[in-house]
Amino acid sequence: GTALGKNVYRIGGDEFVAIVPGISQEEFGRRMAEATRLVEKEGYGVSFGVSWHSGDCNFIVQLRESDLRMYGQKTAHKRVGDQVGHPL
């Protein structure tokens, strides 16, 4: 992947990984909510998956967990878009 800033990496066309050590799960949730709000304020949609583990963990396992959650979110967004008559 390509490093885009401190602990943020592009791993695909529009897919990024952020590794955020040293903060609580609650703080991470607040930061994700704020990032989502800022992106949506600009007129874009965003889907993300989160994997949270305290202590040592396996990066590949976390990447898979977050990927599954992201695709679940994308599916939910698509269903909402279909219900209102347009894709998100």
Side-chain angles (χ1 to χ4, degrees):
T2 304
L4 298 173
K6 186 176 180 180
N7 298 330
V8 178
Y9 304 89
R10 173 181 250 152
I11 60 169
D14 63 351
E15 293 187 8
F16 300 85
V17 169
I19 301 169
V20 187
I23 64 171
S24 69
Q25 187 172 7
E26 292 77 20
E27 176 62 20
F28 185 74
R30 283 190 289 274
R31 290 183 187 190
M32 288 301 299
E34 178 64 8
T36 300
R37 186 188 69 76
L38 291 171
V39 168
E40 289 176 345
K41 180 181 171 185
E42 295 297 321
Y44 299 100
V46 62
S47 295
F48 59 87
V50 174
S51 175
W52 181 268
H53 293 261
S54 61
D56 292 338
C57 57
N58 181 301
F59 176 75
I60 299 300
V61 168
Q62 283 196 272
L63 188 60
R64 287 183 184 142
E65 286 175 358
S66 61
D67 211 33
L68 287 172
R69 291 175 182 148
M70 179 189 63
Y71 283 106
Q73 215 177 61
K74 283 185 175 188
T75 299
H77 287 161
K78 182 178 181 338
R79 278 195 295 259
V80 169
D82 288 348
Q83 290 173 3
V84 296
H86 63 332
L88 295 176

